[in-house]
Amino acid sequence: MPGSSAPRRDVDSVASALADALPALHRALDRLVARDYAHPKPPEGRLNLLRHVAEHPGATVREAAEALLMKPNNVSALVSQLTEEGLLERRQDSADKRVARLYPTAVARRRLGEVRALQVSHLTEALLSLTEGEMDALGSALGALHSLTHRLHPAAR
């Protein structure tokens, strides 16, 4: 796999800037969504689990834990909480009765859609305030950010 031809100090500078910018961007967006969300906004871990199960219906606790880089016992506890709240369903695997498969409820899908719509709305509003050059730069960076995510997240490989 070819590496970057950029000098190490430039790579270190970009890494440092990303380490600062990405969490700040996430926190700012999270606060805006929490402010405008009609329900108490679930903590990020719960949202991530709900998103994963919505994207991978029938996933097991172990599969979700691996994908989310969490311990299976922590995911199991979240599943119990989300099941009690009516946001997840556990169904027995037809081939192996010891295995539970996870499915989002209609309420979970609706609430995930509401959160996603708020995220897109706030990002759209902020993006509209950028210059054309800034928008072009962000658009160009998306592919690189996806590649970076795949290199950092083993489950994405």
Side-chain angles (χ1 to χ4, degrees):
M1 174 171 67
S4 173
S5 61
R8 177 64 192 224
R9 70 183 177 286
D10 292 346
V11 172
D12 288 345
S13 176
V14 169
S16 180
L18 279 171
D20 291 340
L22 295 177
L25 175 64
H26 178 75
R27 280 191 310 275
L29 184 58
D30 192 53
R31 286 189 181 126
L32 289 169
V33 169
R35 180 192 73 193
D36 297 339
Y37 190 52
H39 310 279
K41 186 178 167 296
E44 198 59 31
R46 286 183 181 205
L47 275 178
N48 287 337
L49 177 57
L50 286 172
R51 283 185 194 114
H52 179 77
V53 173
E55 292 169 8
H56 303 92
T60 65
V61 167
R62 181 162 302 285
E63 292 166 349
E66 288 173 7
L68 298 172
L69 303 176
M70 294 176 67
K71 293 180 181 177
N73 60 326
N74 292 341
V75 172
S76 183
L78 288 176
V79 167
S80 294
Q81 294 166 7
L82 292 167
T83 300
E84 287 174 20
E85 293 171 17
L87 298 173
L88 277 183
E89 292 179 8
R90 283 185 187 149
R91 298 182 197 160
Q92 228 176 27
D93 185 274
S94 57
D96 185 348
K97 302 294 184 205
R98 298 169 296 171
V99 175
R101 302 247 169 227
L102 306 174
Y103 296 89
T105 65
V107 171
R109 287 189 184 278
R110 187 173 56 253
R111 289 190 181 173
L112 284 171
E114 291 168 3
V115 168
R116 182 68 172 176
L118 285 169
Q119 290 171 328
V120 169
S121 173
H122 286 296
L123 283 168
T124 298
E125 186 178 327
L127 289 169
L128 288 170
S129 71
L130 299 180
T131 67
E132 190 174 324
E134 289 169 327
M135 274 297 299
D136 289 345
L138 280 174
S140 296
L142 288 176
L145 287 170
H146 286 294
S147 293
L148 183 60
T149 300
H150 285 288
R151 284 178 176 78
L152 291 173
H153 195 301
R157 292 182 192 158

